[in-house]
Structure formats: C-alpha cells, structure tokens
Amino acid sequence: MDDPQYAGTLAFINRDVLVLTNVSDRDVRVPAEREILHASEDLPMPLDGMVSVPPDTTVWIALD
C-alpha cells in the first residue's frame, strides 16, 4: 500500500482476509465492493462506491 491515502494505516493479510487499522487522524476510504467481515466500530454507509474507515478503527476485509 504505497498509496499516500493509506499513510497512517497498519495492514496485513491473513489467508484471504485483509486486516486494516486506521491509526491516522482522518478517515481512510476502502472500496465498498469488498465484503467487510467485521469492524471494530460502526462504519458509515458507503458513498460513491467507497466505505470510510474512521480513525482508531480496524476492519477485516474479505479478499476473495
């Protein structure tokens, strides 16, 4: 994830799941087309095909 939008995130892949933690002070957007299996906080509804992950939030995203 060399994209500057993902600066301030910690991410790793475990089998077919991407675990993404937003440790920045701003929302990070991820594609809504991927299934979010779990989130540590409530997430807003998708907007323009993207889901906003608030600061201090972890999401588990299916990769297949």
Side-chain angles (χ1 to χ4, degrees):
M1 293 189 161
D2 293 333
D3 188 329
Q5 126 163 296
Y6 295 106
T9 62
L10 172 65
F12 65 92
I13 296 173
N14 184 3
R15 296 185 186 214
D16 295 333
V17 176
L18 169 67
V19 181
L20 178 94
T21 301
N22 182 1
V23 294
S24 73
D25 60 355
R26 59 181 173 71
D27 287 1
V28 172
R29 295 169 40 113
V30 296
E33 64 201 31
R34 296 288 185 175
E35 179 184 5
I36 296 179
L37 303 169
H38 183 71
S40 63
E41 300 291 335
D42 290 335
L43 301 176
M45 294 298 294
L47 179 65
D48 297 328
M50 301 294 279
V51 174
S52 291
V53 179
D56 301 322
T57 301
T58 300
V59 291
W60 288 257
I61 302 170
L63 293 177
D64 63 351

